[in-house]
Amino acid sequence: MCGLIGIIGTANVNQDIYDALTVLQHRGQDAAGIMTFAGGNFHQRKSEGLVRDVFRQLHMQRLQGRLGIGHVRYPTAGSAGAALAQPFYVNSPYGICLAHNGNLTNSDALTRELFQTDLRHLNTDSDSELLLNVFAHELQNLGKLRPNEEDVFSAVRSLHRRCQGGYAAVAMISGYGVVGFRDPHGIRPLVVGRRQADSGFEYMLASESIALDVLGFTLLRDVAAGEAVYITASGQIHFRQCAENPRTTPCIFEHVYFARPDSIIDGISVYKTRLRQGEKLARKVLAERPRHDIDVIIPIPDTSRIAAHAMANVMGVKFCEGLMKNRYIGRTFIMPGQSQRKKSVRQKLNTVPLEFNGKNVMLVDDSIVRGTTSRQIIEMAREAGARKVYFASAAPPVRFPNVYGIDMPSAQELIAHGREVEEVRELIGADWLIYQDLQDLIDSCSEGNPEITEYDCSVFTGEYVTRDVDQNYLARVDALRNDVSLSSRLATHQEGNVVGLHNEAP
């Protein structure tokens, strides 16, 4: 999962891109990058770290131009390190840079094609570089000295035919404009907005609408599944459907966990969706235990707070903030290595004993993935004096890996994989465990936009909407994502950084 920004402005866009990336920081904390275009040249700064750490005043002064794209990276499969920071760049044709959110499911075949048929070299194992080279090759095949919007859309159309998986991307063609596109299933989000400036309109592409809001852009609409939008350097905007059979099935986990609640995705308020998740989960609790003995409902910060508050309102139970969060610790389920995740939970959260002591507590989380966090928080609740600890998940059991850009671990490391609810309850140490029903989760989203009736729910069902994911593919994913592999790559990456310090200029 990553965050994307693309802006066509009437003045330098470097500060706007920086500000927008900080708003999308929740979508990726591994690396950040900005590339702008001015004076016939690209200007770039990218590195590992948070946005505030990657960009200094000197970097911002060099990032001149009215056109620019930005990216915050969240690593999935493949390597880690500065070489994987985006945007990526190719010099032919025209000079193109690209930033990508998602994951291609046919990357092995594309890698072979690009080398053997397209005669293109890849410098990393990132599927974002694959996507860029496919787009560049298809645009170059048109043989045009000066591409127009029809050429750009033709290249995206060919890209859709070659690339499979979940992807949203923004690309900048030197001197010509910025293009954004979304996969034919609309799995990964992308929105477009407009702002009035003194000398005309400015346009912005972003992963979430909140990035538009904070910079004063008005949300025009979502880029549709399979659609591309091309904004020329002169400020002309063009839309075109580029997929042969688009079918909107967005990732439902955006509404469970990833997206900010103040965003609107595919016309659906994430905030309202999480409210409905809590209301429906509360009704399930009341149906299963109408004479429950819950004294207090406590959210596990931050993403479950809205659902927990809605649960408390429906059930007529006290809601309180019994867990305090250290906001300088990253999201734990994306950290490589089980030992690192275990350590971070205690650093990340602390209890308010007065809200636990002698009470029957219902803890609410957005989901349960490995169970590491859940188990430790339940232990913390008991240490704080809770008499009983119940646990509610606003999402159904996560039993299968995500292959479209969320770094869900290998199936064997998912606590609910191959287990019944009672078995999971015992493993995390809760006195009672209740999960959201899948249909209730789908309804929570669909009530916000009845036109969208299908979602990618593969982490719950094992049914992948692109229909190209088989056991062989999942086995390769498992080999890349299990903790042993992640720890090995992390150690190699850290060793490489130590060596690299002797060779890099400050």
Side-chain angles (χ1 to χ4, degrees), residues 176-413:
Y176 291 100
V178 170
V179 57
F181 53 87
R182 199 172 173 194
D183 70 79
H185 290 85
I187 297 172
R188 301 269 68 90
L190 190 65
V191 298
V192 59
R194 184 174 66 184
R195 181 175 68 184
Q196 178 69 62
D198 292 339
S199 54
F201 285 117
E202 300 176 312
Y203 291 94
M204 179 174 173
L205 292 160
S207 293
E208 295 184 33
S209 65
I210 181 59
L212 307 177
D213 297 341
V214 299
L215 292 174
F217 283 79
T218 299
L219 174 64
L220 292 179
R221 64 182 181 86
D222 293 84
V223 177
E227 189 177 39
V229 53
Y230 178 54
I231 308 160
T232 68
S234 61
Q236 300 297 312
I237 187 167
H238 307 272
F239 293 89
R240 192 67 46 83
Q241 177 53 252
C242 297
E244 295 174 359
N245 297 295
R247 174 179 166 229
T248 305
T249 53
C251 175
I252 205 165
F253 217 75
E254 291 277 357
H255 293 278
V256 170
Y257 176 77
F258 260 102
R260 272 183 48 153
D262 41 352
S263 284
I264 296 174
I265 296 177
D266 294 309
I268 303 168
S269 164
V270 178
Y271 176 81
K272 288 286 191 180
T273 295
R274 291 180 185 167
L275 276 179
R276 289 188 286 265
Q277 289 171 18
E279 292 166 353
K280 293 177 187 299
L281 189 53
R283 295 187 186 103
K284 183 176 180 180
V285 170
L286 293 174
E288 291 193 10
R289 294 197 178 183
R291 298 183 180 181
H292 67 80
D293 58 353
I294 301 168
D295 296 315
V296 62
I297 290 178
I298 296 176
I300 297 174
D302 284 315
T303 45
S304 64
R305 183 174 286 117
I306 298 168
H309 201 278
M311 284 184 69
N313 285 338
V314 171
M315 295 172 63
V317 174
K318 178 185 175 183
F319 170 90
C320 74
E321 298 280 359
L323 292 164
M324 296 296 108
K325 182 179 180 181
N326 176 359
R327 302 188 184 281
Y328 301 96
I329 298 291
R331 290 180 161 187
T332 52
F333 104 73
I334 68 174
M335 291 182 178
Q338 190 77 344
S339 61
Q340 188 176 352
R341 282 188 293 273
K342 287 181 179 178
K343 181 180 178 181
S344 70
V345 173
R346 293 278 180 167
Q347 294 173 333
K348 177 180 177 180
L349 296 172
N350 192 45
T351 59
V352 180
L354 289 174
E355 300 295 353
F356 288 90
N357 192 28
K359 298 177 182 177
N360 297 331
V361 177
M362 170 68 84
L363 296 173
V364 181
D365 207 352
D366 55 80
S367 58
I368 304 171
V369 182
R370 292 177 175 89
T372 307
T373 301
S374 307
R375 182 166 51 250
Q376 290 195 67
I377 292 174
I378 290 169
E379 291 173 359
M380 292 167 62
R382 296 196 191 281
E383 292 168 6
R387 189 165 57 242
K388 292 182 181 179
V389 183
Y390 307 134
F391 203 98
S393 169
V398 176
R399 292 194 165 104
F400 303 92
N402 184 284
V403 301
Y404 301 126
I406 300 177
D407 192 22
M408 291 287 183
S410 66
Q412 299 305 318
E413 292 167 5

Side-chain angles (χ1 to χ4, degrees), residues 35 42 44 46 87-92 94-98 129 132-133:
M35 190 174 285
F42 283 119
Q44 175 181 270
K46 62 179 182 176
F88 285 122
Y89 163 79
V90 292
N91 65 0
S92 179
Y94 317 117
I96 304 172
C97 61
L98 178 142
E129 190 183 9
L132 168 59
N133 275 273

Side-chain angles (χ1 to χ4, degrees), residues 466-481:
T466 53
R467 304 182 190 279
D468 61 338
V469 177
D470 57 20
Q471 289 304 311
N472 289 332
Y473 181 86
L474 292 175
R476 293 196 299 274
V477 169
D478 183 275
L480 285 170
R481 294 186 182 177

Side-chain angles (χ1 to χ4, degrees), residues 135 138-139 142 150-160:
F135 177 66
E138 296 302 335
L139 197 55
L142 298 174
E150 293 303 324
D151 300 320
V152 171
F153 293 140
S154 176
V156 175
R157 195 172 295 115
S158 297
L159 179 147
H160 283 329

